[in-house]
Amino acid sequence: ENAYEFFGAHQAGITTPVQEHLHFAAFDMMPRTDRDDLITLLQDWTYAASRMTQGLEVSATGAVGGDAEVPPDDTGEALGLPASGLTITFGLGPSLFQNEDGDRYGIASRRPESLERLPAFLGDDLDPQTSHGDLCIQACADDPQVAVHAIRNLSRIAFGRARLRWSQLGFGKTSRTTSDQATPRNLFGFKDGTANILADDTAALDESVWVAASDEPSWMAGGSYLVARKIAMLIETWDRVRLSEQDTIIGRDKGVGAPLSGGDEFAAPDFGGSAIDANAHVRLAHPSQNDGIRILRRGFNYVNGNNDLGRLDAGLFFLSYQRDPQQFIALQRRLSTDRMNEYIRHVGSGIWAIPAGAKPGSYVGAGLFD
Ligand code: HEM
């Protein structure tokens, strides 16, 4: 059964083959916490994550091995379940470095210059209830119970130091990170992840995903930046759009996923002629139209029940990893004329610095406190 190494040069959950399920959570530090609280939280989270990703309980005594007169360390719902490909990826938000209380954790001077709340984009309709956060955790697994167990127990461990601000469940990956994964489909019914950066493309990862040793600040070397966007899809409207128009909006054909300029799914799109609309999503998002900018996409579908009008509250929980937040910002600005915008609304947003992976015996984010 699938268990991924927790410790390593990079955090797992970025190039790891995309799992089937997501539980994403954003946290805020509690008032009056100090630098030691933050450090011990990251240490405790690292320890628990290093165990859960191997299919173990959060501690040695776990759910039923401890004193029967106290609440168990582990909540127990993953007892008997394998690791299920669980990855747990930790991120640090801009508000952790600087907030109303000034420099409470003594890290303001170490904030990456580009780690700032994202600028407002045309058409943004952000809900503060599903945006931002001092810290984030991306838990991905092939079993939803395992992903939820991870977030639940990490929230519990954070008690008194950080509290859950918002969280989102996702299912059905909308991207792939290895060439042997078949391209999945998003809720518009289109293949998603065809032109993604893949795990074996080390040149592209070094160029576009991992922070280099020569980048600033040096404690971020081997890390990345994560952008999350909760993008609601107006799927009932979309479902009344003619197939040919759907193809035009995306710039690819729905069945095979091939660019409308011809060839198979993996053929390079040809933007020379008029086959691909001037405002088709893939044209505007393509590196050739954006000074070569690329990002690693790792999003998931979501459905949060339905609204009063009987419409599904559904969409794409977009997650992208990039070496610098500017890559996302430039692409998102370019998408301002995207034909797809009529059918989507960005309702949640966040950005986090993703430190490099921890060495055994150390913890995620240790470099920040050196
Ligand atoms: C490609 C859907 C939002 C960036 C694609 C493709 C689809 C798609 C179907 C073509 C297949 C592929 O290469 O993966 C969507 C949907 C979105 C969404 C349904 C929102 C609900 C975004 C956002 C960004 C983005 C917010 C970045 C700001 C890209 C990029 C590509 C792409 C970079 C690859 C372009 C290429 O190299 O050919 N998207 N997308 N997408 N999308 Fe999106």
Side-chain angles (χ1 to χ4, degrees), residues 12-13 19-25 27 49 52-53 84-90 136-152 154 168-171 226 298 300 317 319 321:
Q19 300 93 327
E20 293 300 331
H21 297 274
L22 167 78
H23 194 178
F24 185 88
F27 294 81
M52 288 191 283
T53 52
S84 309
L86 176 68
T87 56
I88 298 175
T89 314
F90 296 103
C136 81
I137 305 177
Q138 172 199 277
C140 300
D142 291 322
D143 182 331
Q145 178 116 337
V146 168
V148 170
H149 171 262
I151 294 296
R152 177 178 175 191
L154 295 169
Q168 178 64 52
L169 291 176
F171 67 93
L226 167 63
R298 216 179 190 284
F300 288 81
F317 194 75
L319 293 168
Y321 286 89

Side-chain angles (χ1 to χ4, degrees), residues 174-175 183 186-188 190-196 229 231-233 250 252 257 265 269 271 281-288 290 293-295 297 315-316 318 320 327-333 335 338 340 343-344 346:
T174 62
S175 185
T183 316
N186 60 41
L187 294 181
F188 282 157
F190 275 76
K191 286 191 184 173
D192 208 338
T194 302
N196 207 16
R229 302 284 286 183
I231 308 177
M233 287 170 151
I250 303 294
R252 290 181 174 271
E265 183 191 345
F271 300 114
H281 182 67
V282 294
R283 180 191 287 266
L284 297 179
H286 196 269
S288 67
N290 294 284
I293 290 177
R294 299 186 71 191
I295 55 177
R297 289 169 289 142
L316 192 154
F318 175 94
S320 73
Q327 290 160 255
F328 173 82
I329 294 170
L331 283 181
Q332 181 58 22
R333 288 202 169 125
L335 295 181
D338 194 339
M340 202 168 69
Y343 306 95
I344 61 176
H346 286 239

Side-chain angles (χ1 to χ4, degrees), residues 96-288:
L96 186 70
F97 293 82
Q98 205 136 36
N99 47 53
E100 307 84 77
D101 307 315
D103 189 10
R104 189 193 287 156
Y105 308 112
I107 54 175
S109 65
R110 315 207 66 188
R111 179 178 62 85
E113 214 174 296
S114 54
L115 183 69
E116 289 180 307
R117 199 173 266 202
L118 290 169
F121 299 104
L122 206 69
D124 270 3
D125 193 9
L126 303 184
D127 180 350
Q129 306 289 332
T130 51
S131 296
H132 318 306
D134 292 344
L135 298 156
C136 81
I137 305 177
Q138 172 199 277
C140 300
D142 291 322
D143 182 331
Q145 178 116 337
V146 168
V148 170
H149 171 262
I151 294 296
R152 177 178 175 191
N153 282 271
L154 295 169
S155 305
R156 239 178 133 242
I157 288 168
F159 183 78
R161 296 177 283 185
R163 68 174 174 77
L164 197 57
R165 176 183 170 98
W166 59 276
S167 73
Q168 178 64 52
L169 291 176
F171 67 93
K173 57 179 182 276
T174 62
S175 185
R176 59 182 197 127
T177 49
T178 57
S179 49
D180 57 358
Q181 288 186 302
T183 316
R185 289 178 189 269
N186 60 41
L187 294 181
F188 282 157
F190 275 76
K191 286 191 184 173
D192 208 338
T194 302
N196 207 16
I197 298 179
L198 302 182
D200 57 6
D201 192 349
T202 47
L205 291 169
D206 288 340
E207 175 68 28
S208 303
V209 179
W210 306 129
V211 177
S214 55
D215 294 344
E216 289 292 329
S218 54
W219 68 266
M220 273 295 291
S224 190
Y225 293 89
L226 167 63
V227 168
R229 302 284 286 183
K230 183 178 172 190
I231 308 177
M233 287 170 151
L234 312 180
I235 52 177
E236 288 79 5
T237 315
W238 176 262
D239 293 344
R240 288 193 295 269
V241 173
R242 284 176 297 142
L243 176 60
S244 61
E245 172 74 2
Q246 294 186 2
D247 287 353
T248 302
I249 292 167
I250 303 294
R252 290 181 174 271
D253 98 286
K254 196 170 187 173
V256 176
L260 295 183
S261 50
D264 64 9
E265 183 191 345
F266 299 105
D270 175 0
F271 300 114
S274 57
I276 300 180
D277 187 89
N279 291 305
H281 182 67
V282 294
R283 180 191 287 266
L284 297 179
H286 196 269
S288 67

